[in-house]
Amino acid sequence: MSFTNKVVLITGGSSGIGASTAIIFAREAANVAIVGRNEIKLSKIAAECEKFGKKPLVIAADVTKDAKRIVDETIAAFGKVDVLINNAGILRLGAIADGKLIESYDALMDTNLRSVMNMTMLAAPHLKTTKGNIINISSVGGYKPPPHMTAYGVSKAALNHFTKAAAIELAPSGVRVNAVSPGPVKTDIMEYAGLASWDLLKPTTALERVAEPEEIAELLLFLASDKAISITGSNYVSDNGYLLK
């Protein structure tokens, strides 16, 4: 599944799903642009990507503030964009009863939805030229509201709806738009949110396991490829059966 001469722009690329995705696309000979706020982590992922022969473009940026610069730097470096993976996202606790609902809502919607809409809008003219595609990283939280994460679930449900709306709007231009909704995946998002170990979530899935980031990255590779040329407006759930329990 070669991506030779394809340009793949990945936000949230310094760790977790984004980092694994960058490495897997580099393995498939893509020109990769990785975006993140942690320059030390970005440099480590870039070194892993470079082992496959191509030096990735590293963009230290905040998707909520620097979307235009991110797209502009990618175009300046590679001349085009074939695939946009909107992976950057955050998790914040906040419920109606604890008084933190709106505080968490504002932060979550800014990163998990508004930045995706903005990146999509700015990259769309370039994707129309290449007949490329977009993949938004959502969550099973968009289907099944997690406890004490009301605003997080709302942000992902809204992202799911935006994915469909963007797919409808961009289809006449030959641009596909899809989403992937992972269940529990071993990333550092739990640590950033101040939550316990991912292992505690194993019993919440039918298969009693937590996925590795590489598993999601392989799914993204398929959806971005020509093998998925007929797929748009879809949302692929990869959750080890979390939604079944």
Side-chain angles (χ1 to χ4, degrees), residues 101-156:
L101 179 64
I102 298 304
E103 178 185 342
S104 62
Y105 171 88
D106 288 341
L108 287 160
M109 295 300 278
D110 194 27
T111 301
N112 294 359
L113 182 64
R114 187 184 184 278
S115 72
V116 173
M117 296 175 72
N118 197 23
M119 286 292 300
T120 298
M121 180 181 68
L122 294 169
H126 306 288
L127 291 165
K128 289 178 180 179
T129 299
T130 59
K131 306 297 183 186
N133 67 88
I134 301 168
I135 306 174
N136 298 324
I137 307 305
S138 187
S139 166
V140 289
Y143 292 98
K144 181 180 178 180
H148 309 293
M149 300 181 194
T150 302
Y152 177 78
V154 168
S155 74
K156 293 302 186 178

